């Protein structure tokens, strides 16, 4: 019995060490694979929830202070930790076909429904903007873009009670090709990468609205989406 134990112990140690290395490697690869980007100003719903509550996401005060983020954290914490991974692959430019009405903010319930809570109507925290403003998208992995498109909901749409549909949107800003690495380097901890600014014009708006961003990455047929909540003051 003692001989068997002495022979098996090194194998167990090798197995444990090997498993630990594999786990660390998996975390490294997944972390880097998920490093993509999102709208950071005005912040996308999941980026804003991560920014405000990432260091305190179990605080019960969130339920009353920031109820839409609370319901999102309860639904799937990974939607906020992976704020930069809300994308779909191989859309081929057919965004309306890939994202049914009511599912735009979740990227058509991408990632097996991880981001479904982003579609929920309600009093998401808003950013005050003028009718002419700038949207900042952060390209964390330096993908570049075939284009960015920014839409704003039409006057009369109610984000408090309605899920977002394509007929609710008006194109308010767009770019052409943005080269990989083009933009302003970020100095904010946890971001890295570069930020790209898009000029947006949405005349005639007042009150609460949703800004919807479409980012067609250049490195692959990978399209990022994001909903940001604004208040035209």
């Amino acid at each position: 019995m003692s001989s068997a134990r002495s022979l098996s112990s090194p194998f167990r140690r090798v197995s444990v060490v090997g498993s630990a290395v594999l786990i660390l490697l998996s975390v490294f690869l997944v972390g880097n694979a998920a490093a993509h980007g999102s709208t950071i100003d005005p912040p996308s719903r999941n980026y804003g929830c991560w920014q405000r509550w990432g260091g305190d996401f179990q605080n019960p005060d969130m339920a009353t202070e920031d109820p839409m983020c609370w319901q999102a954290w309860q639904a799937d914490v990974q939607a906020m930790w992976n704020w930069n991974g809300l994308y779909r692959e191989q859309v081929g430019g057919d965004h309306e076909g890939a994202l049914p009405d009511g599912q735009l903010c979740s990227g058509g319930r991408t990632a097996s429904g991880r981001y479904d809570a982003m579609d929920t109507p309600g009093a998401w925290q808003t950013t005050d903007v003028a009718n002419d403003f700038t949207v900042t998208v952060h390209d964390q992995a330096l993908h570049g873009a075939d284009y960015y498109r920014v839409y704003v909901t039409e006057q009369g749409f109610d984000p408090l009670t309605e899920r977002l549909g394509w007929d609710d949107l008006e194109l308010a800003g767009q770019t052409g090709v943005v080269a990989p690495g083009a933009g302003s380097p970020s100095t904010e901890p946890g971001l890295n990468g570069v930020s790209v600014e898009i000029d947006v014009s949405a005349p005639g708006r007042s009150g609460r609205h949703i800004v919807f961003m479409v980012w067609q990455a250049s490195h692959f047929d990978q399209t990022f989406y994001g909903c940001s909540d604004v208040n035209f003051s």
Side-chain angles (χ1 to χ4, degrees), residues 212-225:
F212 180 64
M213 182 275 298
V214 177
W215 164 20
Q216 178 61 57
S218 293
H219 75 299
F220 190 64
D221 189 1
Q222 205 169 57
T223 313
F224 294 81
Y225 303 98

Side-chain angles (χ1 to χ4, degrees), residues 121-209:
W124 294 89
Q125 289 201 14
T126 60
T127 300
D128 288 339
V129 296
N131 291 113
D132 294 323
F133 63 104
T134 301
V135 165
T136 303
V137 180
H138 191 70
D139 182 355
Q140 194 170 34
L142 309 182
H143 290 322
D146 290 346
Y147 55 80
Y148 293 93
R149 293 175 185 166
V150 178
Y151 300 82
V152 178
T153 49
E154 296 181 339
Q155 191 66 20
F157 175 80
D158 184 4
L160 296 175
T161 60
E162 298 179 66
R163 287 176 176 258
L164 185 62
W166 288 102
D167 287 345
D168 302 316
L169 295 170
E170 181 180 10
L171 183 64
Q174 60 183 326
T175 73
V177 173
V178 177
S184 302
S186 175
T187 57
E188 186 174 339
L191 284 186
N192 305 313
V194 295
S195 294
V196 177
E197 295 186 343
I198 303 128
D199 291 331
V200 175
S201 181
R205 291 349 187 251
S206 62
R208 282 182 172 270
H209 281 269

Side-chain angles (χ1 to χ4, degrees), residues 72-111:
W73 280 101
Q74 301 310 300
D76 194 327
V77 298
Q78 294 303 320
M80 273 61 68
W81 297 129
N82 292 281
W83 59 267
N84 51 15
L86 204 168
Y87 66 89
R88 295 191 70 89
E89 294 183 338
Q90 300 179 347
V91 172
D94 184 13
H95 307 295
E96 294 189 32
L99 279 59
D101 287 342
Q103 299 179 21
L104 275 64
C105 297
S106 67
R109 297 181 179 172
T110 192

